[in-house]
């Protein structure tokens, strides 16, 4: 059951990377660049939950908070934020420079940092979910970039909404 929960969360937090990758894939990014960006996103999704885990443990111990409530609030907040952000108007896309790959990776992995803050209540081993999040996001990024020019742009919005709904439901179910 733990693996299924971690996998579903991993796929859900990868949906923003997938939807942005779909959009950037329409710009004709070279295969080498797709691999590079997918690896960068995967690396960020590996380290961000670990950093969130370390920070989350500090905050939970300092404030003596109930981890179940924190997990619920974080998952529901991220889910709702993903749904809301899917309706925001996108700016014109431009081909990214190498430094922008790092910013892209950071931007789409912030949700993994937040979820990392609650990993103590989801898994006993922080590296296990970090590896799953990393693989899911790297694969989703590569798929999004590869099929960006073949898939309708609206699917990116649907994927983000779907990821947000799943995280919100998991957060609400987790509380009970």
């Amino acid at each position: 059951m733990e693996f299924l929960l971690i996998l579903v969360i991993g796929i859900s937090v990868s949906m923003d990377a997938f939807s942005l990758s779909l959009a950037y894939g329409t710009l004709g990014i070279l295969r080498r660049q797709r691999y590079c960006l997918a690896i960068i996103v995967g690396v960020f999704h590996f380290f961000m939950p670990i950093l969130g885990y370390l920070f989350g443990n500090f905050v939970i111990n300092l404030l003596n908070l109930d981890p179940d409530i924190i997990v619920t609030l974080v998952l529901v907040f991220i889910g709702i934020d993903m749904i809301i952000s899917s309706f925001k108007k996108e700016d014109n896309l431009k081909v990214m420079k190498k430094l922008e790959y790092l910013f892209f990776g950071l931007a789409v992995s912030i949700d993994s940092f937040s979820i990392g803050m609650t990993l103590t209540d989801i898994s006993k081993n922080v590296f296990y979910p970090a590896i799953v999040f990393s693989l899911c996001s790297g694969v989703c990024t590569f798929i999004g970039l590869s099929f960006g020019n073949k898939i309708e742009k609206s699917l990116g919005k649907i994927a983000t909404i779907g990821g947000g709904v799943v995280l919100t439901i998991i957060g609400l179910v987790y509380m009970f």
Side-chain angles (χ1 to χ4, degrees):
M1 184 65 171
E2 179 182 329
F3 172 75
L4 184 60
L5 178 62
I6 291 169
L7 181 63
V8 169
I9 291 172
I11 292 169
S12 297
V13 298
S14 301
M15 287 298 103
D16 55 346
F18 174 76
S19 61
L20 281 174
S21 296
L22 273 175
Y24 277 100
T26 63
L27 300 176
I29 294 176
L30 300 174
R31 188 172 193 77
R32 183 177 53 97
Q33 293 170 317
R34 286 182 272 177
Y35 281 118
C36 181
L37 190 55
I39 290 169
I40 288 171
V41 169
V43 168
F44 269 101
H45 271 85
F46 176 78
F47 286 109
M48 292 301 275
I50 293 171
L51 293 173
Y53 168 79
L54 296 172
F55 180 73
N57 275 340
F58 175 74
V59 170
I60 288 171
N61 291 333
L62 181 69
L63 300 177
N64 197 20
L65 299 172
D66 181 12
D68 289 342
I69 293 172
I70 302 298
V71 169
T72 299
L73 292 175
V74 167
L75 291 176
V76 169
F77 175 77
I78 293 171
I80 291 171
D81 184 56
M82 285 175 70
I83 294 167
I84 291 170
S85 70
S86 70
F87 291 103
K88 292 180 180 174
K89 187 176 179 180
E90 294 181 23
D91 294 336
N92 290 335
L93 300 175
K94 61 182 177 84
V95 178
M96 290 188 283
K97 298 176 183 153
K98 293 181 185 193
L99 182 61
E100 291 173 321
Y101 286 8
L102 295 175
F103 291 125
F104 182 92
L106 178 64
V108 298
S109 65
I110 295 296
D111 49 358
S112 288
F113 177 84
S114 302
I115 289 177
M117 293 175 66
T118 62
L119 280 180
T120 56
D121 209 36
I122 296 172
S123 176
K124 295 183 186 340
N125 181 352
V126 67
F127 293 103
Y128 179 58
I131 290 169
V132 173
F133 293 176
S134 177
L135 292 173
C136 288
S137 64
V139 168
C140 285
T141 299
F142 186 78
I143 290 171
L145 290 169
S146 297
F147 293 108
N149 59 352
K150 297 176 185 173
I151 297 175
E152 193 67 33
K153 287 184 181 182
S154 65
L155 184 61
K157 183 181 287 191
I158 292 169
T160 303
I161 292 170
V165 168
V166 168
L167 280 179
T168 303
I169 291 170
I170 289 173
L172 293 173
V173 169
Y174 194 83
M175 188 65 180
F176 301 105

